[in-house]
Amino acid sequence: MRGLKILLACLALGAVSPAAADPMLTGFAYPFPVKRFTFESQKQELSMAYMDVAPSGIGNGHTAVLLHGKNFCAATWESTIRALREAGFRVVAPDQVGFCKSTKPQRYQYGLHELATNTHRLLEAIGVTNPIIIGHSMGGMLAFRYALMYGDEMSALVTVNPIGLEDWKAKGVPFVSIDELYAGELKKTGAQIKEYQRTTYYDGQWRPEFDRWVDMLAGMYQGEEGAAVAWNQALTSDMVFNQPVVYEFPNIRVPTLLLMGAKDNTAIGKARASEAVKAELGKYEKLGPRTAEAIPNSTLVMFDDLGHSPQVQEPEKFNQTLIENLEKILAQKEKSKTAK
């Protein structure tokens, strides 16, 4: 009887089955063929996995580069990749070093500048010029840094519920050491990941198709090599917490599209903040307009009923909005160029 009660309780909470150990996602199928970019960085050979997808018909001459978030992978962009290629874009979607199918080094000085440099080297190697950089969550924070470093070489910038719209440390979130972050990462379970995503990414809602992304993430933490995943997650958590971009938004000179799910409440470290501080963090309905005011030549589109991952939660609505606004930005840029 007690076992039955536990089972029923788990079902009621939507508990997930233990994911199979797969730290490099070798058994997780990506929607398009995965290629490898091997390069040297910080005196070691590293490999970035990436998808390079041609337009489905006659291309429009533009390349969209999709940067994943911290709890995501290039594969999470699946529906957006398909929509963009149908609209004539070449699409490149890499896994950053330390994530998913890419190398997870034991020793690496992580920095948003470093990841931007790695991405730039990849794009140079495969012949991408004047890319449209599109970043989600941590990938959005990285996209801001990329635009600050390589803005003269970009066509446009798009961020989707980026983190880094506020300085969590300055707002009162306590610092913790990398060792403490690592200890916390080692304890992560599929059930914890699902609950976090349900409450943070999807405004308390859940649909069966979201389980795939929980399994993807949870599987990387399992097995002997799962410790390397936890270690790299700890290092990158320290990176985003201690390398704010919010103060440099006025320096972005690339035409920018901000796509924001207003129900998002993501804030790095909020679980360790006081209740008073926590109440002021992650208010994307306010952070969106504030960011649009700070970035010159930016356009803000708010999804009032969506959370942290609008491209997963409502892919058709998101993709249509992305492409319509992106085509407007590109047309305006071309018009300005012709006028000169």
Side-chain angles (χ1 to χ4, degrees):
M1 180 61 70
R2 182 173 180 273
L4 179 59
K5 288 181 179 179
I6 293 173
L7 175 60
L8 291 173
C10 289
L11 290 172
L13 291 170
V16 294
S17 301
D22 195 4
M24 292 296 292
L25 292 183
T26 54
F28 188 91
Y30 275 31
F32 297 94
V34 175
K35 301 179 180 180
R36 292 270 169 194
F37 171 57
T38 302
F39 63 105
E40 185 173 306
S41 177
Q42 299 183 23
K43 295 187 176 182
Q44 57 190 313
E45 185 177 280
L46 302 174
S47 173
M48 283 179 69
Y50 68 98
M51 293 176 283
D52 188 351
V53 185
S56 58
I58 298 174
N60 61 16
H62 293 287
T63 301
V65 179
L66 306 180
L67 307 181
H68 64 79
K70 191 171 183 300
N71 293 326
F72 303 84
C73 297
T76 319
W77 286 110
E78 179 175 0
S79 71
T80 305
I81 295 172
R82 296 188 189 281
L84 286 168
R85 73 185 296 259
E86 288 294 325
F89 294 87
R90 176 187 178 186
V91 184
V92 176
D95 282 337
Q96 295 298 324
V97 168
F99 294 87
C100 308
K101 290 182 181 284
S102 292
T103 303
K104 299 171 183 67
Q106 180 64 29
R107 293 176 179 82
Y108 201 66
Q109 181 65 50
Y110 277 102
L112 293 169
H113 292 80
E114 194 80 11
L115 297 185
T117 300
N118 294 345
T119 303
H120 188 258
R121 291 176 66 181
L122 164 65
L123 299 182
E124 282 188 321
I126 61 177
V128 173
T129 56
N130 299 312
I132 301 155
I133 301 295
I134 304 176
H136 169 239
S137 192
M138 182 200 76
M141 193 176 188
L142 173 57
F144 286 135
R145 179 55 61 200
Y146 191 102
L148 288 162
M149 294 172 67
Y150 303 109
D152 291 343
E153 303 174 23
M154 292 171 57
S155 293
L157 168 67
V158 182
T159 63
V160 183
N161 284 79
I163 62 170
L165 303 184
E166 55 191 339
D167 185 342
W168 310 288
K169 182 170 57 176
K171 283 193 166 186
V173 176
F175 170 83
V176 293
S177 70
I178 292 175
D179 288 334
E180 290 174 286
L181 290 169
Y182 176 54
E185 292 290 343
L186 287 173
K187 296 174 183 177
K188 274 192 178 176
T189 66
Q192 290 172 336
I193 291 169
K194 181 173 182 176
E195 181 60 14
Y196 175 79
Q197 293 191 4
R198 185 185 69 81
T199 57
T200 303
Y201 296 172
Y202 306 116
D203 191 33
Q205 304 172 31
W206 195 261
R207 298 202 301 266
E209 57 264 35
F210 301 158
D211 286 331
R212 181 182 179 218
W213 308 119
V214 173
D215 293 340
M216 176 190 73
L217 183 58
M220 287 188 284
Y221 283 89
Q222 307 304 310
E224 293 181 6
E225 295 179 44
V229 175
W231 178 244
N232 279 265
Q233 285 286 322
L235 293 176
T236 50
S237 290
D238 180 78
M239 172 187 75
V240 297
F241 187 74
N242 289 298
Q243 297 181 21
V245 294
V246 62
Y247 306 113
E248 298 175 72
F249 285 165
N251 298 330
I252 294 175
R253 292 291 182 263
V254 184
T256 301
L257 174 61
L258 305 166
L259 300 177
M260 306 272 189
K263 298 291 186 180
D264 190 5
N265 58 69
T266 303
I268 302 302
K270 69 178 180 181
R272 59 181 184 263
S274 69
E275 291 302 319
V277 170
K278 191 183 301 184
E280 298 302 317
L281 297 174
K283 295 183 176 295
Y284 273 72
E285 73 278 9
K286 296 180 180 178
L287 292 171
R290 191 182 307 163
T291 303
E293 288 180 10
I295 298 177
N297 194 18
S298 64
T299 300
L300 171 66
V301 178
M302 297 292 292
F303 299 105
D304 293 335
D305 56 341
L306 300 181
H308 186 66
S309 303
Q311 79 278 27
V312 177
Q313 194 173 3
E314 293 292 344
E316 290 187 15
K317 179 179 180 179
F318 171 83
N319 293 333
Q320 181 179 353
T321 303
L322 167 65
I323 292 169
E324 286 180 355
N325 282 275
L326 195 51
E327 288 178 341
K328 287 178 185 177
I329 289 173
L330 294 172
Q332 183 60 44
K333 188 171 183 178
E334 189 61 33
K335 185 178 179 180
S336 300
K337 188 189 301 182
T338 303
K340 293 179 181 178

